[in-house]
Amino acid sequence: MIVNNDTLRNWIEEMAALCLPDEIVWIDGSDAQRDALRAEACATGEIIELNQEKLPGCYYHRTHPLDVARVEDKTFICTRRESDAGPTNNWKPPEEAYTEAANFFRGSMRGRKMYVIPFSMGPVGSPFSKIGVELSDSIYVVLNMLIMTRVGTDVLNALGPSPDFTKCLHAKAKLDPEKRRILHFPEDNTIWSVNSGYGGNVLLGKKCLALRIASYLARQEGWMAEHMLILGVEQPNGHVEYVAAAFPSACGKTNLAMLIPPEGLRSKGYRIWTMGDDIAWIRLDTDGRLWAINPEAGFFGVVPGTNSRSNPSAIETIKKNTIYTNVVLAKDRTVWWEEGDTDSPGEGATDWLGRPWHPGMKDEKGKEILGAHPNSRFTAPFRQCPSASFRLEHHHGVPIAAFIFGGRRNTLAPLIYEATSWNHGVFVGASMASERTAAQYGKQGEVRRDPFAMLPFCGYHVADYLKHWINMGRRAKRPPKIFHVNWFRRDKDGNFLWPGYGENLRVLEWALMRARGEGKAVETPIGFIPTPDALDMTGLDLNESVMEELLAVDNAEWKAETDSIEKFFDSLGPHVPWELRNELEALRRRLDG
Ligand code: OXD
Ligand code: MN
């Protein structure tokens, strides 16, 4: 392939001289090349072809048993100054990080091929988009990148001779967990990932580029890279309004992004348009509003728990052209997972480790053996989602009317409340938190703060990130309204008060009404909450007292919360924005009434 880009050519030569692949293969984005790579990976056992009658275009992959999730303790932000990475990131000086990792990369591709994957995050050629080039020795990575991003010759044409691309180097090397490194060099626009083959560590366009590197670039360039889903709510009059929402992991972002309206609202004409389930890149336009794109082209979703009740659209999305990783492989080469649509994969199934498996198996300590890894994944093309918005391809994205922040709180946080101003909303995002559920390791009820759900993904000092949020609101003439939701509030007996799933649309619709200057609300010390009759409850029978409990604000509980927030802000160092300290004090004053 003739490539008219000296920076790119020189960099590839240099990396090839380090990794010593037998061959360099350029990925052109064609179906023919993809099919050949699939066949090659099937021949070596790297992937397994699934039952093409039942699951057309679907493939199966198992990662190394010790390589099943993102590794935060092996993830580093490598800026020249440690203070630029901030107190919430692991840091290494760039020279040390490059030198150490070069030892792991050196000669690691002997006997392997190096694939050159030019990819665009966002529509090719859009001013919102960023180009990356990933060098990888893994066909699994190539096949996933072909789904998750826009890949190929178009991207090289859009790049032209420009040196403005993210240099992404990945090698499986020996998959040694001790020598695993996920290194970000924001000052060099470079990512190095070595000794892993798990998606979140190796699909470098996603968390590494689209969040960590992009958040750094976004601050410099005056935009925002956020860990947010984007969805459009079409009202009965045909008007579509968009929300962007941030939740810590395991709070159902993908489910919310693909929400199906409950019958009562569907019959009125409500409809949902999915724009993205994980990442939003947001820019200020001349109309004074914030506009968002989803830079991805696919879904990399958690499989267990996905079923026709929790997420029927996801079930539809993953019926074809999907890569399944670490789920159960049934004898007829279909796939199975816990809390899916069926009770059993049948006789002759193998678990994510490749061992014979059937439901109910226990280990020697009597503990249940799961068939699918809890972090098993599907990789599926975005356009296969039945509610996929055609605006995914719009170079300009969609205007955001409301930001929604949320967490999993057993008590405290009402079903929804509205911030009274932009800065108050930033305070709400900065103090976002989730409590551990029984299913998670650790103390139950322990609160984990995760500002904007960005703690593992912010590529620079988190206090500067919070200040950037304050500044964006100052620049925007018509900023989105900001809300906080809690789908997980429980009654005294531990039961969820709110039915969740599609019913959440009732809550989103109230937020959008408020953003339009409509919707009934009362002011409380923490912000505006809906009046008991403000949500459209057509078709949902919920006791009045339950609604009251869902919306209750307990001042004493909130006072304790302000102390916990203060401790958290203190832990972020001295330059937490003064605006947020002011908001904390103002909240305390309102609670004291
Ligand atoms: C993800 C995550 O996989 O946030 O999207 O961990
Ligand atoms: Mn995520």
Side-chain angles (χ1 to χ4, degrees):
M1 181 176 291
I2 301 159
V3 176
N4 171 26
N5 187 314
D6 290 342
T7 314
L8 179 56
R9 273 209 323 265
N10 292 341
W11 170 66
I12 293 172
E13 250 171 55
E14 201 188 322
M15 295 303 107
L18 174 65
C19 300
L20 299 177
D22 288 1
E23 202 183 317
I24 296 175
V25 179
W26 288 76
I27 301 302
D28 59 19
S30 68
D31 288 353
Q33 189 187 43
R34 182 202 57 199
D35 294 347
L37 286 169
R38 279 174 173 171
E40 192 179 329
C42 285
T44 62
E46 185 177 351
I47 61 172
I48 294 173
E49 188 182 66
L50 289 170
N51 185 323
Q52 295 300 296
E53 256 165 52
K54 294 182 176 162
L55 295 166
C58 293
Y59 291 81
Y60 179 85
H61 174 76
R62 289 188 179 105
T63 64
H64 187 280
L66 299 177
D67 189 22
V68 292
R70 288 186 289 102
V71 280
E72 284 171 25
D73 61 325
K74 303 278 192 270
T75 299
F76 294 86
I77 301 298
C78 309
T79 43
R80 279 191 294 274
R81 292 192 322 198
E82 183 171 6
S83 58
D84 290 343
T88 55
N89 283 311
N90 298 314
W91 173 81
K92 271 182 196 290
E95 280 317 310
E96 188 188 314
Y98 280 129
T99 304
E100 183 196 36
N103 287 327
F104 307 152
F105 279 111
R106 188 163 297 115
S108 67
M109 294 188 192
R110 273 204 190 95
R112 299 180 186 175
K113 293 174 186 164
M114 176 190 264
Y115 299 98
V116 180
I117 314 165
F119 64 95
S120 176
M121 298 311 292
V124 179
S126 158
F128 270 61
S129 301
K130 293 282 180 194
I131 287 174
V133 179
E134 178 161 352
L135 310 180
S136 172
D137 57 357
S138 158
I139 296 181
Y140 174 73
V141 166
V142 175
L143 296 176
N144 274 274
M145 288 295 282
L146 283 166
I147 297 174
M148 293 306 297
T149 72
R150 288 116 168 139
V151 172
T153 313
D154 288 5
V155 177
L156 287 178
N157 292 340
L159 179 63
S162 165
D164 189 11
F165 64 94
T166 306
K167 302 181 186 80
C168 308
L169 176 65
H170 164 249
K172 288 182 290 188
K174 297 192 169 66
L175 296 177
D176 179 346
E178 289 309 312
K179 296 182 176 165
R180 191 165 293 155
R181 299 287 181 273
I182 318 298
L183 305 170
H184 305 75
F185 304 91
E187 290 150 353
D188 301 342
N189 202 359
T190 293
I191 302 162
W192 279 17
S193 164
V194 67
N195 277 306
S196 175
Y198 166 75
N201 299 325
V202 300
L203 308 179
L204 299 183
K206 193 175 181 64
K207 302 299 186 183
C208 300
L209 193 165
L211 289 176
R212 298 197 190 94
I213 294 288
S215 61
Y216 175 93
L217 296 174
R219 175 164 171 255
Q220 283 184 336
E221 297 168 3
W223 53 282
M224 308 163 93
E226 299 298 334
H227 191 199
M228 289 183 178
L229 66 90
I230 310 168
L231 78 84
V233 177
E234 182 175 327
Q235 289 139 32
N237 65 8
H239 196 70
V240 185
E241 285 174 336
Y242 295 89
V243 306
F247 297 87
S249 24
C251 288
K253 251 171 54 230
T254 303
N255 294 354
L256 184 63
M258 297 183 185
L259 175 158
I260 307 256
E263 190 44 42
L265 296 190
R266 190 173 25 207
S267 58
K268 285 189 179 180
Y270 280 97
R271 185 168 179 178
I272 290 296
W273 295 99
T274 305
M275 267 294 284
D277 76 328
D278 198 38
I279 298 174
W281 283 1
I282 303 168
R283 285 175 194 260
L284 182 59
D285 200 5
T286 46
D287 64 356
R289 291 191 292 181
L290 295 178
W291 289 68
I293 64 159
N294 167 14
E296 301 192 280
F299 302 105
F300 182 64
V302 174
V303 181
T306 303
N307 58 52
S308 299
R309 180 175 134 74
S310 65
N311 196 336
S313 288
I315 292 291
E316 206 48 46
T317 306
I318 62 181
K319 281 186 173 158
K320 54 184 183 187
N321 307 318
T322 295
I323 300 172
Y324 288 92
T325 302
N326 290 345
V327 295
V328 172
L329 182 61
K331 195 171 171 198
D332 65 350
R333 283 183 299 118
T334 57
V335 283
W336 186 92
W337 53 87
E338 276 78 14
E339 293 176 67
D341 278 333
T342 61
D343 291 339
S344 167
E347 296 280 309
T350 49
D351 69 1
W352 69 277
L353 290 161
R355 303 171 305 190
W357 185 87
H358 59 82
M361 273 174 78
K362 304 240 164 57
D363 66 13
E364 58 284 0
K365 289 187 189 122
K367 204 172 152 250
E368 189 185 344
I369 299 174
L370 296 175
H373 188 276
N375 193 36
S376 51
R377 297 278 174 156
F378 57 76
T379 316
F382 185 89
R383 60 174 185 281
Q384 291 181 187
C385 176
S387 56
S389 167
F390 65 95
R391 292 201 185 228
L392 188 77
E393 296 307 326
H394 278 203
H395 283 206
H396 214 83
V398 294
I400 299 301
F403 281 128
I404 314 274
F405 305 138
R408 193 181 266 279
R409 302 301 297 254
N410 296 323
T411 59
L412 186 84
L415 180 60
I416 184 165
Y417 67 97
E418 176 190 342
T420 53
S421 66
W422 177 266
N423 284 1
H424 179 221
V426 177
F427 169 78
V428 170
S431 49
M432 260 169 69
S434 261
E435 280 153 42
R436 288 179 198 273
T437 61
Q440 283 170 303
Y441 183 75
K443 213 170 106 220
Q444 215 177 321
E446 187 191 328
V447 172
R448 299 202 337 173
R449 303 251 163 231
D450 186 356
F452 299 89
M454 279 291 278
L455 215 48
F457 306 118
C458 184
Y460 60 101
H461 197 302
V462 65
D464 296 336
Y465 167 81
L466 299 178
K467 187 70 182 181
H468 184 49
W469 262 87
I470 298 279
N471 291 340
M472 287 301 293
R474 201 165 283 144
R475 287 171 54 210
K477 287 211 178 50
R478 296 160 65 197
K481 284 269 197 299
I482 299 179
F483 301 83
H484 185 280
V485 298
N486 178 21
W487 315 132
F488 304 100
R489 197 165 188 168
R490 293 171 192 256
D491 66 14
K492 283 173 227 56
D493 301 323
N495 304 311
F496 289 118
L497 288 159
W498 179 248
Y501 299 111
E503 310 293 347
N504 294 340
L505 177 56
R506 303 177 193 278
V507 179
L508 298 182
E509 179 50 14
W510 180 79
L512 288 169
M513 280 195 290
R514 294 292 295 168
R516 293 196 292 271
E518 305 160 12
K520 288 196 281 182
V522 284
E523 192 161 2
T524 75
I526 65 165
F528 297 107
I529 60 167
T531 56
D533 62 339
L535 302 193
D536 185 338
M537 298 294 275
T538 313
L540 175 63
D541 222 355
L542 202 72
N543 207 300
E544 228 171 88
S545 67
V546 173
M547 201 60 187
E548 254 168 49
E549 215 177 327
L550 274 164
L551 295 174
V553 177
D554 179 327
N555 279 22
E557 233 187 321
W558 272 95
K559 270 190 216 167
E561 177 77 355
T562 58
D563 294 342
S564 157
I565 294 170
E566 179 167 31
K567 272 209 201 93
F568 176 66
F569 283 177
D570 289 347
S571 76
L572 302 182
H575 56 294
V576 169
W578 60 265
E579 292 91 341
L580 298 185
R581 297 278 186 187
N582 278 8
E583 289 297 334
L584 178 63
E585 288 320 310
L587 172 59
R588 280 190 167 133
R589 276 197 303 278
R590 294 194 301 268
L591 289 166
D592 284 335

